[in-house]
Amino acid sequence: MAVSVNGGLIKPGVYFMRGNEAAVEGALIAGCRFFAGYPITPSNEISARMSRRLPEVGGYFIQMEDEIASIMAVIGAAVGGVKSMTATSGPGFSLMQEAIGLAAMIEAPIVVIDVQRGGPSTGLPTLVGQGDIMQAQWGSHGDYSVIAYLPNSPQEMFNLTIEAFNSAWKYRVPVIVLADQTVGQMIEKVVVPPLEEIEIFDRIKPDVPPEEYKPYDKRYLIPPMAVAGEGYRVHMTGLTHDERGYPTTRHEVSQWLVRRLVEKVQANEREIAKWEEYETEDAKLVVVAFGITSRSAKRAVREARNRGLKVGLYRPITAWPFPYWRLEELVSKGAKVLVVEINMGQMVHVVREYVGKENVEHMPWAPGAVPPPEVILDRILEVYPQ
Amino acid sequence: MSARVGVRLSPTPRMERIKTLLRTERLPHMWCPGCGLGILLKVFAEAVLESGIDPDKHVVVSGIGCTGRIAGYLRLDGYHVLHGRPIPFAVGLKTSRPDLEVTVISGDGDLLTIGGNHFIHAIRRNDDINVILVNNFNYGMTGGQYGATTPPGSRTLTSPYGHIEGAFNVPYLAAALGANFVARWTVLHERELKKAILEMFKVDGFALIEVISPCIIYGDMNSIPPLEMMKKFKENCVIDHDADLSKADLDPTGEKPIILGNFVRRERPSYQTLYSRIIEKARGGRRG
């Protein structure tokens, strides 16, 4: 698809675009200038477009030998101060998990777009799945936090990829765009606003000279970041490290470090988390659905309303941190919850943790297809409180 | 009355010279007495000073293992990353920041066993990075298991009956894959090693130096203490820059000659150089 370019970036306007391609244009606007990836369905449109578009904006593309190499290259670029990302799907995302832990540990800002497909294992390469919700947060060993977005349209692939870069560099955490095969490969209207209306967050630079700089200065929850080649001579290691970045086995340092890695997101969850509501105000039953499933669920909710049932839709736009407080509020007003997702039960566990097992119904759905609105409606009718 | 043992050492003039490049607050280092890595640390720091490249632009990336700790002792931008993965990390850094001089320093287990896939592909792609691969014939840090460079017949923690696998011949492998610079030295050959490192900094494309280093763990299990090993490096070495690399496999426990030299120098343009031309073409002469 031909793109009219403006200094290399896409021109503001209305486009008819594939989700995966919209994500690329969002990334470039956000300042992404390095991409490393490995072919995998259904994410391939991202690397294909990146390989053509990055040199047009003066950026760098490389196809690596596997997903481990891809994400390591992305982290390498990030510590050099270059906004960088990769894109993959389930099997590749699994291979990347150890390195996501490294990025979290050294606080390298990276973006990973995971276009979820059916699993487990090779599963259904060309068909939809939503089975990476837990993997996104818990896939690497040890404790750390990530931010994960759940786009449900090509427009959100564009918007949330920009937001993913902003969050990664603001909080210095790995940020995952948890797309799915349908949202990634569907073609829809995408509005690119005037560039000056798009907020871009850049690195927090050190405000002290190199001799006073500590890479993980204890005074900060999110320390300013010196990058390679600036004269700060930083040391970063995946080992547990003190504020100088030096390895240590002291328990009080481990306490300080690991708590902070988790708190960076936890303490800012209300600023980071996003969700959307539809007809929830008086709802007796709130359907929780995300990604492509939310669009089918919305149709089911509308149909239930037509039949006079007080049903609403709660769509988390971030899986991590999960926007639990508003859902708690709706349940405290007497609503029951029905979680619909294309997996055998992942987000339902998170929802139960906040609103109580007794208030939550589930509709698991095997990967390979989006649950049709009429099937969701049947389940709504089944669990609707009488 | 308190007894004192040992002698007080003051830094030698050579140490004084490289002090600015060491994180002296982290010394003494964690390597065993008899290990060759301290020598490499010193030689590398000297090479950085003599390279004519601003030390602020030198970056060291290392993986996991004894050699992997070297990045933590150098006062340079240094990254100690995942086991087996320093090469792709360095590739990302160098590709997106062509102004940096990026050197990977890591062990044989890290770069050639768990990281073997990245090693062969970075050479094939001809990434513009320097790689110093320290070969001590085993996994020293974890107690001396065998790896991809352990010579057949060696005793290790996990080959108590003698090692039955073959070993990579590192220069032969790298030369076959198309590396632009391939050298092998031991830590005994300080001057030659430093010259090779200085040469490596000038190479556009993949440059590799295999550095053979004694390990007391491997030495203990194969009745060849580090000092004996160093003697072997002196007595059994053959410096031959034009050596037939197919015959350059190593067996430090036997009498086989240790072939050393700067074997390969090619001018194949690097991925990064070729990519900069792609950017020029894609931007059609536009700047910014």
Side-chain angles (χ1 to χ4, degrees):
Chain A
M1 176 188 154
V3 169
S4 25
V5 287
N6 169 19
L9 295 176
I10 192 167
K11 273 187 183 165
V14 181
Y15 293 83
F16 191 51
M17 221 190 266
R18 197 178 298 276
N20 283 342
E21 297 181 329
V24 171
E25 295 304 330
L28 299 180
I29 289 173
C32 176
R33 292 296 178 270
F34 180 80
F35 179 96
Y38 183 82
I40 189 167
T41 303
S43 77
N44 295 315
E45 295 83 5
I46 297 179
S47 60
R49 195 180 181 101
M50 276 290 187
S51 68
R52 193 164 56 78
R53 294 284 287 121
L54 267 171
E56 292 178 350
V57 299
Y60 305 88
F61 170 89
I62 192 165
Q63 184 172 304
M64 299 297 282
E65 54 274 17
D66 59 27
E67 284 90 349
I68 300 172
S70 301
I71 192 161
M72 288 305 289
V74 165
I75 301 170
V79 303
V82 177
K83 288 185 180 173
S84 56
M85 66 167 276
T86 185
T88 189
S89 186
F93 194 47
S94 296
L95 281 174
M96 290 179 182
Q97 290 302 330
E98 188 193 8
I100 287 176
L102 174 72
M105 188 61 146
I106 66 174
E107 300 177 60
I110 58 162
V111 172
V112 179
I113 300 184
D114 173 19
V115 188
Q116 297 173 92
R117 69 191 216 187
S121 189
T122 311
L124 297 161
T126 57
L127 297 174
V128 69
Q130 293 184 319
D132 298 353
I133 302 297
M134 286 298 183
Q135 186 180 202
Q137 169 61 75
W138 310 114
S140 203
H141 57 283
D143 302 289
Y144 60 96
S145 50
V146 301
I147 296 169
Y149 293 99
L150 298 164
N152 81 343
S153 64
Q155 181 71 55
E156 278 197 348
M157 288 292 279
F158 175 84
N159 297 354
L160 294 177
T161 301
I162 296 173
E163 195 155 333
F165 274 97
N166 289 346
S167 298
W169 287 81
K170 187 168 182 184
Y171 302 105
R172 295 186 63 180
V173 292
V175 178
I176 323 295
V177 179
L178 269 178
D180 55 61
Q181 176 274 331
T182 312
V183 163
Q185 294 191 316
M186 74 196 293
I187 301 177
E188 234 177 18
K189 184 171 96 169
V190 174
V191 179
V192 176
L195 296 188
E196 60 277 12
E197 286 173 19
I198 300 175
E199 195 192 331
I200 305 294
F201 188 93
D202 287 315
R203 165 171 68 107
I204 310 167
K205 293 179 181 167
D207 55 0
V208 294
E211 55 279 16
E212 288 166 39
Y213 177 72
K214 292 178 187 136
Y216 305 105
D217 196 323
K218 279 194 169 163
R219 294 175 301 164
Y220 300 93
L221 178 62
I222 299 142
M225 182 179 166
V227 301
E230 285 188 322
Y232 281 85
R233 312 267 185 105
V234 296
H235 181 60
M236 289 184 168
T237 174
L239 285 163
T240 297
H241 47 264
D242 62 19
E243 60 177 343
R244 298 168 301 174
Y246 294 171
T248 178
T249 51
R250 284 164 55 208
H251 187 249
E252 65 271 23
V253 179
S254 171
Q255 283 271 19
W256 159 78
L257 173 62
V258 177
R259 280 177 181 221
R260 192 172 58 75
L261 293 182
V262 172
E263 275 170 15
K264 285 199 296 182
V265 170
Q266 220 169 55
N268 293 296
E269 61 187 13
R270 300 214 176 210
E271 189 185 325
I272 301 165
K274 294 170 85 91
W275 69 93
E276 188 184 66
E277 294 176 44
Y278 173 72
E279 304 266 23
T280 50
E281 223 28 79
D282 62 342
K284 284 185 172 176
L285 179 71
V286 173
V287 177
V288 172
F290 55 92
I292 191 61
T293 311
S294 68
R295 298 178 66 162
S296 184
K298 190 170 185 178
R299 173 91 179 261
V301 166
R302 208 180 294 140
E303 189 51 40
R305 282 276 165 184
N306 288 344
R307 297 183 185 199
L309 303 182
K310 290 181 173 170
V311 180
L313 175 69
Y314 187 84
R315 173 169 79 94
I317 300 175
T318 50
W320 310 105
F322 183 77
Y324 58 88
W325 49 93
R326 174 63 181 151
L327 198 58
E328 282 176 342
E329 203 175 293
L330 293 171
V331 170
S332 74
K333 288 198 290 184
K336 268 181 80 175
V337 175
L338 168 65
V339 181
V340 184
E341 51 188 337
I342 308 177
N343 60 56
M344 289 297 116
Q346 297 201 15
M347 190 175 279
V348 69
H349 292 289
V350 185
V351 172
R352 280 182 189 149
E353 178 180 335
Y354 291 109
V355 305
K357 200 174 174 185
E358 64 285 1
N359 297 314
V360 181
E361 298 289 345
H362 192 219
M363 180 179 156
W365 192 253
V370 181
E374 56 275 20
V375 181
I376 300 176
L377 181 63
D378 285 348
R379 186 80 179 122
I380 289 172
L381 299 175
E382 246 173 66
V383 303
Y384 188 76
Q386 296 309 316
Chain B
M1 202 181 113
S2 65
R4 285 192 178 198
V5 291
V7 287
R8 195 191 177 99
L9 289 173
S10 50
T12 63
R14 275 183 79 179
M15 274 301 283
E16 279 299 332
R17 214 178 132 225
I18 59 171
K19 241 166 70 177
T20 56
L21 289 185
L22 297 180
R23 297 185 188 270
T24 47
E25 67 274 28
R26 293 207 57 213
L27 298 176
H29 58 62
M30 48 83 76
W31 298 311
C32 308
C35 175
L37 284 166
I39 301 172
L40 174 64
L41 176 65
K42 176 181 67 182
V43 172
F44 183 77
E46 287 178 347
V48 167
L49 277 183
E50 293 167 25
S51 67
I53 299 165
D54 181 354
D56 284 348
K57 297 293 173 193
H58 273 282
V59 182
V60 173
V61 183
S62 57
I64 300 300
C66 298
T67 312
R69 292 304 187 96
I70 213 163
Y73 297 122
L74 286 161
R75 196 176 296 286
L76 295 172
D77 285 316
Y79 301 93
H80 178 228
V81 301
L82 296 182
H83 192 28
R85 320 298 171 202
I87 287 178
F89 184 98
V91 168
L93 183 55
K94 176 66 190 183
T95 304
S96 61
R97 288 288 307 275
D99 59 313
L100 301 175
E101 186 65 37
V102 181
T103 304
V104 170
I105 308 179
S106 214
D108 50 315
D110 189 76
L111 294 176
L112 271 180
T113 314
I114 185 170
N117 199 35
H118 311 308
F119 182 86
I120 62 172
H121 286 283
I123 301 180
R124 177 188 56 77
R125 260 190 323 257
N126 202 16
D127 285 311
D128 185 18
I129 58 171
N130 314 309
V131 174
I132 296 176
L133 183 153
V134 178
N135 185 358
N136 67 359
F137 310 107
N138 78 139
Y139 287 90
M141 186 175 268
T142 47
Q145 295 86 348
Y146 65 79
T149 57
T150 304
S154 293
R155 310 250 158 207
T156 71
L157 190 63
T158 46
S159 57
Y161 302 105
H163 188 46
I164 55 174
E165 297 177 18
F168 277 133
N169 170 345
V170 181
Y172 189 40
L173 175 65
L177 292 165
N180 267 6
F181 180 73
V182 180
R184 176 199 272 162
W185 296 100
T186 80
V187 289
L188 185 78
H189 297 79
E190 277 192 45
R191 273 169 304 207
E192 293 87 345
L193 176 57
K194 187 164 54 178
K195 273 191 205 152
I197 296 172
L198 286 167
E199 185 62 24
M200 181 167 76
F201 289 150
K202 295 181 199 149
V203 175
D204 174 42
F206 196 97
L208 173 81
I209 304 175
E210 180 187 18
V211 178
I212 303 168
S213 175
C215 172
I216 65 161
I217 310 286
Y218 181 78
D220 273 356
M221 286 184 288
N222 292 283
S223 312
I224 177 161
L227 213 59
E228 283 295 304
M229 184 87 96
M230 290 292 259
K231 266 191 206 152
K232 235 172 206 187
F233 292 167
K234 190 177 167 203
E235 287 159 11
N236 280 11
C237 80
V238 174
I239 297 176
D240 178 4
H241 302 299
D242 302 314
D244 174 0
L245 293 177
S246 69
K247 299 190 172 67
D249 50 316
L250 292 168
D251 185 5
T253 61
E255 291 310 310
K256 198 174 165 32
I258 297 166
I259 297 170
L260 305 175
N262 299 324
F263 306 121
V264 176
R265 186 74 166 91
R266 291 190 183 105
E267 299 290 338
R268 195 158 65 99
S270 68
Y271 179 91
Q272 288 68 21
T273 294
L274 294 174
Y275 200 89
S276 67
R277 291 179 204 159
I278 289 182
I279 294 180
E280 259 170 54
K281 200 173 148 193
R283 289 178 78 76
R286 277 182 293 117
R287 283 167 194 279

